Amino acid sequence: MQDKKYNWAIVPDKNRHEYVIGIDFGHGETSAAFCPIGWDLAPGDLEAVKDVDFGANRKVLPTAINIQPNGQAFLGEAAFSSERLRKATVEVLFKKKPENIDGEKEQLMIRYMHEVYALIREKTGALFSDENHLLYIATPSGWDEKAKNLYGQMAAKAGLPIAGITSESRAAFIKAQLDTSSGLPQYISQGAIVFDMGSSTLDFTYLQSGNAPIDYGYDCGASQVEKIMYAEIREKNKDIIAFETQYPKLVAKLLYETRCAKEGVYFDPDIRYKKTVNFEDIVDDEDFEDSKMKFVFQPGELNHMLEEKGYISEVRQAMLDFKDYHIGGYPIKAAFLTGGASRMGFIQALIEDCWGLPQDLIYRDQDPSLTISRGVAEVARSDFRSGGVGNTKQLLNDIVTESDVYTPFVNSLCDKLSEEIIGTVGACVTNFRDNETDVSINDLQAYIEENISEDLNQVGDWAMECYKEAFENQTKEIRDRLDKIISNYSRQGIRMGNVQVSISSLPNIDMSVIAEQMRQLSSNFTDGGIVNGLVTGIAGAAVGGAIAMLLGGPLAWLIGGGAILANWFFGEEKTEEQKRQEALAKDLDHDQRQQVFDEFNNSWEDICNKIQKAVEQSICSNYTLQRTIQSQSKATIESYVKECIEQTRLMVE
């Protein structure tokens, strides 16, 4: 959906809006498609998009309007009625990039929008009520936000229940992605071009993973073909020149007939095309009752004419220019043709030649005149169902704001380190008790110190493992959320290499900063002197204090707090400090070591709690680590989300 600044956009309401209509107000022709939104349905259960039938099984209207003196408007072929042309001029080729909503062309476009929407409502019967549907429209890909905003205002002023605008290239790509038989989706992220041959311009849009869309247009639209055809026939037919002089308002009718002939030639280019337009069917004038305009083309003859007149060379040069000067060395892996004029037989050969693409990677709908309107309807439905992913910036902000890697990371690291230290202390005390030779409490102390030192030297590695696990767990929720959204835009779903994304497969992750913090964390535990004495504690490390407390708690009671044991080990004439030092150094037999073990065992729950608390205090008070993890994780997640979004190319603007 659109940004909130577009105050003309109606917000979809799940309780009211059942359908969406997509309209392609093309420069040369107009089409429309619609579909149920299917709010709660799985993507695979959605109804297919349907084309609007404008009458007599016509799915496309020429973009033409004839406003009679009484204010009544006629559209498409009806606008070229000879009787109506005598009263008012038919307006064609009036779509333009809007600049002023009160401008002449803009006002005409507003009237045309209004009449097309009224015709859609008329031709679809009771399907649409005033409240049960919304509408999306398309713009050329090169229009900026200011022009799109103004175009939306025009649609709203025309009375359309407008909810959003999308680019024609986005509509084309999403239409292709939803067609699993096209084979195109797998190439879109590698580099693909939308080739949009319109009436006035030839527009290209290039998409490749990691790069912004590249749009550019050339003034060699398909209307030049009918102008060339008309000029060739006019040069050999003096009746046409006389008709133009006598009936200047009816020249549009002749041009329209030429356009129909062009479409007829390319509808089946392998057979001879012949059509005669009798002037007496246009005017009731004896001077022209025998006048005619004939179109006769053998297979390939029109292409030959266009080559001679330089038109095909102009299109070829546009394709080479776009490749060489606008996308540079980027690869072209596939092309997607839109616009009715893309049927012209020479286009595919040009693409093969200029862009080096094989025929099977040049994709075109069976009816390219309807590609954009169908795609617009698909885009609108996808946007509605996904909650409005059109606003990429807001989506990124929401996901990054909601994500929290630091909390699960620090909890996991604290649990891991506490578990390892507790296991080490327990194993050391057990080995002390079960030692085959007599050893002292000093030996126990050194043994614990040595083994915990080995544990703490691994903090960096453990922290990296915990970070990876926390990041993967957090991005799993993001992956699930994005996959649900993206499934609305592509039947292919999201492909990030592996179902369970590992840290190494994530995009653009700089782990060096995290690794450095992990190294410093390990150093903080080990550099303060743990090897030189746990009893005195580790400088600046709460873990060291906890170990000192462990050794100073039960052992102090054992050595200095038990009078019987003190007398048993040492003489009464010694000072308490002397007794303590000698007791620490004395080799203890099995029974004495069992007593030390029992003291640890009796206080084990308290010891474990103290270790856990000390570890948490040590790690959680490292605010540099916290800031680094938070900032780096958010940056990484933002990069990851962008990469996921890019997997579907024009999923968002």
Side-chain angles (χ1 to χ4, degrees), residues 300-320:
E301 185 178 352
L302 180 53
N303 285 350
H304 181 70
M305 177 192 297
L306 298 177
E307 189 73 75
E308 282 189 332
K309 296 299 180 181
Y311 177 71
I312 292 180
S313 296
E314 188 177 357
V315 174
R316 179 185 290 107
Q317 186 56 44
M319 296 173 65
L320 292 173

Side-chain angles (χ1 to χ4, degrees), residues 406 410-411 414 614-623 625-626:
Y406 174 74
V410 82
N411 289 341
C414 287
V615 168
E616 291 175 358
Q617 180 182 348
S618 175
I619 295 176
C620 295
S621 63
N622 189 327
Y623 298 112
L625 175 67
Q626 180 178 353

Side-chain angles (χ1 to χ4, degrees), residues 575-593:
T575 66
E576 290 299 316
E577 181 59 27
Q578 288 174 325
K579 290 191 231 180
R580 182 183 299 274
Q581 293 302 320
E582 290 185 10
L584 289 172
K586 180 179 175 59
D587 289 338
L588 305 181
D589 61 24
H590 181 271
D591 290 340
Q592 293 166 336
R593 295 197 307 275

Side-chain angles (χ1 to χ4, degrees), residues 13 43 63 74 109 194 389:
D13 184 343
T63 300
F74 295 90
M109 189 67 195
V194 168
V389 205

Side-chain angles (χ1 to χ4, degrees), residues 360-630:
D360 60 344
L361 290 179
I362 303 172
Y363 177 79
R364 187 184 72 187
D365 270 350
Q366 289 185 347
D367 193 340
S369 297
L370 304 174
T371 297
I372 301 302
S373 55
R374 291 169 177 171
V376 173
E378 294 278 19
V379 167
R381 173 160 65 180
S382 299
D383 281 355
F384 294 168
R385 286 167 47 84
S386 62
V389 205
N391 191 340
T392 319
K393 184 176 181 180
Q394 188 61 48
L395 172 68
L396 290 175
N397 287 342
D398 289 347
I399 291 179
V400 172
T401 299
E402 293 169 8
S403 63
D404 176 19
V405 173
Y406 174 74
T407 299
F409 157 73
V410 82
N411 289 341
S412 177
L413 181 57
C414 287
D415 289 344
K416 174 66 174 176
L417 186 53
S418 299
E419 178 183 344
E420 292 293 339
I421 290 177
I422 289 170
T424 294
V425 172
C428 288
V429 174
T430 301
N431 289 338
F432 170 78
R433 180 197 64 183
D434 298 337
N435 205 310
E436 295 182 357
T437 60
D438 296 343
V439 289
S440 68
I441 293 176
N442 280 340
D443 293 329
L444 170 60
Q445 177 175 296
Y447 188 41
I448 293 175
E449 176 183 324
E450 178 184 355
N451 282 273
I452 292 180
S453 179
E454 292 179 1
D455 289 342
L456 297 181
N457 279 324
Q458 299 182 66
V459 169
D461 293 337
W462 292 339
M464 288 297 292
E465 294 174 3
C466 293
Y467 180 80
K468 291 178 182 179
E469 180 181 8
F471 194 94
E472 290 182 6
N473 289 339
Q474 287 301 101
T475 55
K476 182 183 185 303
E477 182 178 347
I478 294 172
R479 289 198 302 276
D480 291 344
R481 178 178 174 184
L482 286 173
D483 194 57
K484 183 177 180 181
I485 291 171
I486 290 170
S487 66
N488 290 313
Y489 294 89
S490 173
R491 296 292 181 262
Q492 304 298 314
I494 184 170
R495 301 191 309 275
M496 291 302 294
N498 302 311
V499 177
Q500 297 296 325
V501 178
S502 66
I503 205 74
S504 61
S505 66
L506 295 175
N508 303 321
I509 296 180
D510 179 10
M511 295 301 296
S512 61
V513 178
I514 299 295
E516 174 60 21
Q517 283 300 310
M518 300 302 104
R519 188 194 66 77
Q520 292 181 16
L521 179 64
S522 178
S523 297
N524 287 342
F525 284 126
T526 60
D527 292 348
I530 186 169
V531 178
N532 297 322
L534 278 173
V535 176
T536 57
I538 306 171
V543 171
I547 301 305
M549 189 161 43
L550 291 179
L551 297 177
L555 294 183
W557 179 90
L558 175 64
I559 298 166
I564 298 176
L565 290 176
N567 290 331
W568 182 24
F569 290 148
F570 313 103
E572 293 183 355
E573 69 280 2
K574 302 289 182 68
T575 66
E576 290 299 316
E577 181 59 27
Q578 288 174 325
K579 290 191 231 180
R580 182 183 299 274
Q581 293 302 320
E582 290 185 10
L584 289 172
K586 180 179 175 59
D587 289 338
L588 305 181
D589 61 24
H590 181 271
D591 290 340
Q592 293 166 336
R593 295 197 307 275
Q594 179 67 48
Q595 291 177 2
V596 174
F597 177 88
D598 291 341
E599 291 302 322
F600 271 94
N601 192 49
N602 292 336
S603 304
W604 190 244
E605 183 176 353
D606 184 53
I607 291 171
C608 293
N609 290 335
K610 287 178 179 178
I611 291 176
Q612 181 79 32
K613 183 177 180 180
V615 168
E616 291 175 358
Q617 180 182 348
S618 175
I619 295 176
C620 295
S621 63
N622 189 327
Y623 298 112
T624 300
L625 175 67
Q626 180 178 353
R627 287 191 299 270
T628 301
I629 294 292
Q630 288 175 332

Side-chain angles (χ1 to χ4, degrees), residues 20-33:
V20 64
I21 303 172
I23 303 180
D24 175 23
F25 292 110
H27 195 263
E29 56 189 17
T30 295
S31 61

Side-chain angles (χ1 to χ4, degrees), residues 82-152:
S82 302
E83 197 65 34
R84 292 164 187 151
L85 281 172
R86 292 191 185 96
K87 299 177 182 178
T89 301
V90 64
E91 299 286 352
V92 295
L93 305 180
F94 50 83
K95 180 181 177 181
K96 54 170 279 189
K97 182 179 178 180
E99 298 175 356
N100 179 359
I101 198 169
D102 296 319
E104 181 180 353
K105 292 293 187 182
E106 286 85 352
Q107 286 294 306
L108 183 60
M109 189 67 195
I110 290 172
R111 178 64 188 273
Y112 182 71
M113 288 177 167
H114 174 81
E115 295 296 337
V116 168
Y117 176 59
L119 184 60
I120 290 172
R121 293 288 300 272
E122 175 189 334
K123 296 301 182 180
T124 51
L127 183 64
F128 303 126
S129 68
D130 291 340
E131 298 291 332
N132 75 345
H133 65 284
L134 291 174
L135 195 144
Y136 255 43
I137 56 180
T139 71
S141 302
W143 283 15
D144 55 24
E145 288 303 311
K146 181 179 179 181
K148 289 181 180 180
N149 187 19
L150 190 54
Y151 199 54

Side-chain angles (χ1 to χ4, degrees), residues 66-74 84 111 115:
N66 184 321
I67 304 175
Q68 296 289 288
N70 65 0
Q72 186 176 8
F74 295 90
R84 292 164 187 151
R111 178 64 188 273
E115 295 296 337

